[in-house]
Amino acid sequence: MKQTKAVQRVFILGMDGAGNFVQQADTPNLDAWLPRGAYTFDAKAEMPTISAECWGSVLHGVQPDKHKLNNEKAATLSYPSDSPFPSLFRLVREQQPEAKLASFSSWSPINSGIIEDNLGVHKVSLPDAELVSSLLVYMEENQDVRLLFLQLDEPDGSGHRYGYGDDCPEYLAAITTCDELIGSVLKRLEKLGLMEDSLVVLLTDHGGGGDNKYSHGSAHPMDRDVFWGCIGPGINSGLLKGPVSITDTAAIAALALGLTLTQQWDARLPEGLLDDTWASKSITIVDSKTAAAEESHNG
């Protein structure tokens, strides 16, 4: 069996509220990069199709009824550091203590209320363009980062102001701007020679305009159907034919980072995502009581 180059870092790069309208917007960067890996325009957002519930599932690997996040909680409370449903950031910190971790989020509640405090995560919250400028500087200086998350906000903001959908030019223009910003990140990773041993997930959290032209939250396909793609060592190329949830992002990130999970995630590896170089690898899940007992015994 041929060997896959070990993944040294994972990048989760997202834009908020874009649904699968990237198909109608001018997105030359996504058009060029998604086919380099496995992708779909029919992935599903979690219910309700709201930012905290959805980004919470992306980063914690479980559905909203488990992580229990909503926009109000994320904006006002810190995520419990002892939750049985930790974020990817907490799992990496606990299992790989020296790892560099970073989160760049235009919507600040992700940094303050979805990712746990006191993990030593480099957190930056700025408007989209300034945020990406900060990220590019960080990448130049921290090429050994282990996990980096990016969330750009303007498609969702534009949708709330002008309406969601392919008949709203302001909304499509906001998606195009985010495509340019994410493209600058991808090009920098390539320039730095990091793509050979990095895993990149490209996604959005939800769409909009289904039940309400200026909002989201429903199960309508305009709200729930989203684009999702993954590029990296051992990832197949082409359209994914099976079901994909945004929550599944956590599964491929966990596998690539070599994490052991102490709870049953809802995240699954999408069918057809991995080539045969991953055949001998699987996500390790241990019972939390067993893990605690072993830790006590070893201590």
Side-chain angles (χ1 to χ4, degrees):
M1 180 184 298
K2 61 181 179 180
Q3 294 297 310
T4 297
K5 192 174 183 66
V7 173
Q8 298 301 317
R9 60 195 75 76
V10 170
F11 298 95
I12 301 172
L13 309 178
M15 60 177 81
D16 206 294
N20 60 16
F21 296 106
V22 296
Q23 296 174 102
Q24 290 80 38
D26 183 17
T27 54
N29 292 288
L30 288 178
D31 293 347
W33 281 84
L34 287 174
R36 292 175 60 166
Y39 66 100
T40 177
F41 297 108
D42 295 312
K44 300 300 179 185
E46 291 294 347
M47 287 294 299
T49 49
I50 298 174
S51 291
E53 283 87 342
C54 289
W55 289 123
S57 291
V58 168
L59 292 174
H60 291 260
V62 295
Q63 294 174 357
D65 65 334
K66 292 180 180 176
H67 64 61
K68 300 189 182 303
L69 284 159
N70 57 42
N71 284 1
E72 181 180 0
K73 286 183 178 178
T76 59
L77 301 172
S78 298
Y79 191 81
S81 60
D82 59 351
S83 169
F85 306 109
S87 72
L88 285 166
F89 288 95
R90 184 180 137 200
L91 288 172
V92 176
R93 177 59 68 227
E94 291 174 350
Q95 298 176 37
Q96 301 169 15
E98 302 304 316
K100 288 185 179 179
L101 307 172
S103 174
F104 294 79
S105 176
S106 183
W107 188 52
S108 62
I110 291 178
N111 282 336
S112 63
I114 294 180
I115 300 170
E116 300 90 343
D117 289 336
N118 303 316
L119 293 178
V121 179
H122 179 78
K123 295 180 179 181
V124 180
S125 296
L126 290 168
D128 289 359
E130 296 173 55
L131 189 72
V132 170
S133 294
S134 178
L135 185 155
L136 294 176
V137 171
Y138 178 86
M139 279 308 310
E140 292 280 353
E141 299 173 351
N142 298 274
Q143 297 178 31
D144 57 342
V145 66
R146 188 73 169 144
L147 172 64
L148 184 147
F149 172 76
L150 168 68
Q151 178 265 355
L152 301 175
D153 202 53
E154 190 48 37
D156 195 50
S158 182
H160 283 298
R161 288 191 298 273
Y162 305 109
Y164 296 82
D166 57 9
D167 59 344
C168 297
E170 297 89 350
Y171 174 67
L172 296 181
I175 293 175
T176 296
T177 297
C178 282
D179 176 76
E180 294 171 355
L181 292 171
I182 288 177
S184 69
V185 175
L186 294 169
K187 291 169 185 173
R188 186 64 56 89
L189 297 182
E190 201 159 49
K191 179 181 178 182
L192 294 172
L194 301 182
M195 287 302 299
E196 284 189 8
D197 57 0
S198 295
L199 186 85
V200 177
V201 178
L202 302 169
L203 80 163
T204 187
D205 58 336
H206 58 73
D211 284 356
N212 183 323
K213 186 66 174 174
Y214 300 91
S215 191
H216 49 85
S218 79
H220 191 285
M222 288 178 67
D223 289 4
R224 197 166 190 206
D225 292 352
V226 297
F227 81 92
W228 187 93
C230 185
I231 304 161
I235 302 298
N236 282 319
S237 60
L239 278 169
L240 291 165
K241 298 179 180 179
V244 179
S245 164
I246 59 170
T247 305
D248 296 337
T249 303
I252 183 57
L255 178 64
L257 293 169
L259 301 178
T260 296
L261 311 182
T262 56
Q263 82 286 331
Q264 184 64 51
W265 272 7
D266 297 312
R268 296 290 183 269
L269 294 170
E271 181 181 353
L273 178 68
L274 306 178
D275 69 20
D276 61 4
T277 62
W278 290 84
S280 63
K281 296 189 176 186
S282 62
I283 301 173
T284 303
I285 301 175
V286 299
D287 180 81
S288 57
K289 293 181 180 179
T290 301
E294 290 179 353
E295 183 177 347
S296 174
H297 175 75
N298 292 335

